[in-house]
């Protein structure tokens, strides 16, 4: 742009920014996992939360927890492999941490621990199941809209 004699007008700059925003939106949508994979991962976390809360000293609850761990790991690994096949390399340690991500992680961990503590104190089966449902909803919402949150926070900066 420095070598041309034509100055850039405000309309040209707006059009260029709009086209960049459109390309960014397409890129974000292509990196987002499909809805079935999001739901599978979120439901496995919800089952893990309920199983952790209801964990009685028998092998059934322990195997349910390990099964949910395995399903969640398979979901994440399959999506990373799918992105790699598409030509998008993801570094797990280079993730952009946002305020919304931190809040949702704290909520998920709090529900995991409090479901177990509440079950031990009250003996009620209701709270671990409700905590599992909330964790499912939090993770599904975060995985579905998480990349868009990151893009919106970058646009503000």
């Amino acid at each position: 742009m420095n070598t041309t004699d034509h100055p850039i007008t405000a309309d040209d700059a707006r059009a260029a920014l709009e086209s960049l925003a459109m390309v960014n939106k397409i890129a974000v949508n292509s990196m987002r996992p499909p809805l079935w994979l999001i739901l599978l991962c979120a439901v496995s976390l919800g089952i893990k939360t309920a199983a952790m809360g209801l964990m009685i000293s028998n092998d059934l609850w322990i195997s349910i927890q390990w099964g949910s761990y395995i399903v969640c790991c398979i979901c994440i690994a399959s999506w990373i492999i799918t992105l790699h096949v598409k030509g998008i390399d993801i570094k797990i340690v280079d993730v952009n941490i946002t305020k919304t991500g931190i809040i949702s992680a704290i909520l998920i961990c709090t529900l995991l621990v409090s479901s177990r503590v509440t079950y031990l104190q009250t003996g009620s089966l209701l709270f671990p199941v409700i905590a599992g449902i909330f964790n499912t909803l939090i993770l599904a919402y975060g995985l579905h809209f998480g990349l868009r949150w990151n893009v919106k926070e970058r646009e503000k900066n």
Side-chain angles (χ1 to χ4, degrees), residues 34-97:
L35 190 58
W36 65 269
L37 191 65
I38 290 171
L39 291 176
L40 185 64
C41 190
V43 167
S44 71
L45 177 70
I47 291 171
K48 192 260 177 275
T49 302
M52 182 179 172
L54 298 171
M55 187 172 60
I56 306 167
S57 61
N58 67 18
D59 294 334
L60 175 66
W61 295 109
I62 294 171
S63 62
I64 289 172
Q65 277 192 7
W66 280 105
S68 65
Y69 281 137
I70 291 169
V71 168
C72 193
C73 289
I74 289 172
C75 290
I76 293 169
S78 66
W79 185 242
I80 290 173
I81 291 169
T82 303
L83 287 178
H84 186 68
V85 167
K86 287 182 178 181
I88 302 169
D89 289 330
I90 292 181
K91 295 179 182 176
I92 301 295
V93 295
D94 226 7
V95 176
N96 184 16
I97 298 173

Side-chain angles (χ1 to χ4, degrees), residues 90-153:
I90 292 181
K91 295 179 182 176
I92 301 295
V93 295
D94 226 7
V95 176
N96 184 16
I97 298 173
T98 62
K99 291 178 188 176
T100 310
I102 291 172
I103 291 170
S104 61
I106 289 172
L107 279 173
I108 287 172
C109 292
T110 302
L111 285 170
L112 274 169
V113 173
S114 64
S115 69
R116 179 69 179 151
V117 170
T118 306
Y119 176 72
L120 289 176
Q121 289 177 351
T122 64
S124 173
L125 300 174
L126 187 62
F127 189 75
V129 173
I130 291 173
I133 292 170
F134 278 138
N135 269 352
T136 299
L137 294 175
I138 291 169
L139 187 64
Y141 188 79
L143 287 176
H144 189 67
F145 295 109
L147 286 173
R148 292 182 183 169
W149 290 333
N150 289 343
V151 170
K152 287 180 183 177
E153 287 190 13

